[in-house]
Amino acid sequence: AIRADGSIRDGLSLLDQVLAFSSDNKITASIVFDAIGIVPFNEFLAIAEDILKKNPADAIKRFNNLFEKGKDIYSILESMIANFHRLLLLKIGIKRELPEDIETKLMPLVEIATREDILRIISILARLQTELKYSIRPAYIFEETIVKLSLLDSVVSIKDLVEGRVSLGISAVKRSISEINSGRDELASKTVIGGEHAEVKKEERILSPKERLEELVAKKRGEGISALLENANIIFDESRIILEFPPESETLAAILRRSENFKALEASAKEILDADATVNIIVRAAKKVETKKEEKPKEENDVSPELEKVRKIASEFDATIIG
């Protein structure tokens, strides 16, 4: 029903697909999971528990196990987002007619995470959906995100901290938070201990190079220009950042090539990499429909054998030769 997305016709097609997997026309949950790539709920529970208990190694092993069994990477991500959304609703007291067994299994996770923790996880997973579309190694990006989620510190409410409902290991909090760095996911507080100021940093999220680039460009040229980077495959190549756009996004590439935007990109690249960092903006060539032509005899030494090999490999992998 979820996969059919409200369409009876699509639902019937999926049912036929499921029946094709069954040898005796009997349908079990396992057959449904295998036939249409749905991640079993118990698998989600195990991964989510590993993430919330800060155990990234086991979470990655479980993810790889699903991936190796043929589960589609986008289906795994979709299942995680949907089930963390269920978890969030339970956390704020909305059951939305969840089956009793599902609710029972989710409750231990509800006790572990705060509402803010779950919201951040959902937000990061939602961003991952966009990143996977343009990644040449989506499984690697997924694994990195699992590690990132596992390393996130719990969010602490300022009000709870000040009123003493949450402890950071300090015997007494004598004054409220006086400094917060609102530009990043960081909670910084100053308290007084024996007349001296001590700074307590609860959490500082580590940004990936791609996120760092988007953040810097947003600060220099605004969110609108930064959003254009989502349409590019971003490659970090030693002291160079390559923005590779698909043919249909040539206009977006042209906007980023404008003087002020390109200067912001280069300045951001230098902050992320080094002072000699450069930026290349390229647009992949559109695929041409091949037409049969009469073969013309090649002149000797027309193309070097080495270059011909490189071109052949690039053609096989639909790659673009740069530099």
Side-chain angles (χ1 to χ4, degrees):
I2 293 170
R3 279 298 172 87
D5 197 23
S7 168
I8 293 177
R9 184 173 60 185
D10 290 350
L12 290 173
S13 296
L14 288 168
L15 179 58
D16 287 337
Q17 187 178 328
V18 171
L19 284 170
F21 267 70
S22 173
S23 58
D24 54 5
N25 284 339
K26 290 183 179 179
I27 299 174
T28 64
S30 177
I31 289 174
V32 174
F33 294 147
D34 290 339
I36 57 179
I38 294 176
V39 177
F41 182 66
N42 286 339
E43 296 288 350
F44 159 75
L45 286 175
I47 293 175
E49 185 175 4
D50 286 334
I51 288 172
L52 293 174
K53 288 186 175 180
K54 317 299 182 189
N55 191 354
D58 284 348
I60 287 176
K61 286 178 185 176
R62 296 183 196 280
F63 162 71
N64 284 328
N65 187 44
L66 287 172
F67 196 46
E68 288 165 5
K69 285 181 179 178
K71 299 298 181 187
D72 178 64
I73 196 167
Y74 299 101
S75 296
I76 298 172
L77 179 55
E78 183 183 322
S79 172
M80 288 183 68
I81 292 174
N83 283 307
F84 270 114
H85 180 70
R86 284 175 167 178
L87 194 62
L88 176 65
L89 294 181
L90 271 180
K91 187 69 181 181
I92 61 176
I94 300 175
K95 296 185 179 180
R96 194 175 281 182
E97 298 181 0
L98 280 177
E100 188 175 345
D101 61 325
I102 296 291
E103 182 182 336
T104 301
K105 290 177 179 178
L106 283 174
M107 287 311 296
L109 299 183
V110 171
E111 299 300 322
I112 297 174
T114 67
R115 291 171 300 179
E116 293 80 7
D117 291 337
I118 304 170
L119 278 169
R120 281 197 304 168
I121 288 172
I122 293 172
S123 176
I124 291 170
L125 291 175
R127 284 206 304 271
L128 181 61
Q129 284 182 310
T130 301
E131 290 183 23
L132 290 184
K133 291 178 184 177
Y134 304 104
S135 173
I136 58 176
R137 292 186 177 88
Y140 289 5
I141 301 297
F142 209 129
E143 288 178 343
E144 290 167 10
T145 301
I146 288 175
V147 174
K148 183 190 299 183
L149 294 176
S150 302
L151 296 179
L152 290 175
D153 286 338
S154 293
V155 174
V156 176
S157 163
I158 296 173
K159 184 178 179 182
D160 288 346
L161 180 64
V162 172
E163 294 180 358
R165 289 193 291 270
V166 176
S167 172
L168 294 180
I170 300 171
S171 58
V173 178
K174 296 184 179 179
R175 38 183 259 196
S176 63
I177 292 170
S178 60
E179 287 187 6
I180 298 173
N181 182 354
S182 59
R184 302 185 63 183
D185 263 352
E186 179 180 315
L187 175 61
S189 63
K190 283 191 176 180
T191 185
V192 177
I193 305 175
E196 296 181 1
H197 291 286
E199 186 176 8
V200 180
K201 290 187 178 179
K202 179 59 185 172
E203 183 263 335
E204 182 175 347
R205 189 167 71 84
I206 299 173
L207 299 177
S208 68
K210 181 178 184 296
E211 289 174 325
R212 181 69 175 142
L213 179 64
E214 291 172 349
E215 179 187 67
L216 289 171
V217 172
K219 286 180 180 178
K220 298 176 191 300
R221 295 295 295 159
E223 295 287 347
I225 297 300
S226 175
L228 301 183
L229 299 176
E230 293 182 4
N231 297 277
N233 177 31
I234 302 178
I235 304 165
F236 290 84
D237 177 27
E238 295 183 352
S239 62
R240 176 173 59 165
I241 296 178
I242 302 165
L243 307 180
E244 183 187 47
F245 286 88
E248 61 271 19
S249 298
E250 187 171 1
T251 303
L252 304 183
I255 293 172
L256 289 175
R257 287 193 185 107
R258 292 175 185 170
S259 177
E260 292 303 316
N261 295 335
F262 194 77
K263 286 178 182 177
L265 280 168
E266 284 196 320
S268 301
K270 293 180 190 304
E271 288 187 43
I272 297 170
L273 301 177
D274 54 57
D276 298 323
T278 58
V279 175
N280 285 20
I281 300 176
I282 61 176
V283 179
R284 287 199 304 270
K287 290 185 178 179
K288 295 181 180 179
V289 178
E290 292 185 2
T291 56
K292 290 186 178 179
K293 295 181 181 179
E294 291 184 9
E295 291 187 3
K296 295 181 180 179
K298 281 189 177 181
E299 296 180 10
E300 287 189 14
N301 301 324
D302 185 24
V303 179
S304 70
E306 290 80 7
L307 180 57
E308 189 60 40
K309 286 179 183 177
V310 172
R311 287 180 177 174
K312 185 176 179 181
I313 293 170
S315 175
E316 289 291 332
F317 289 93
D318 190 24
T320 303
I321 300 175
I322 58 176

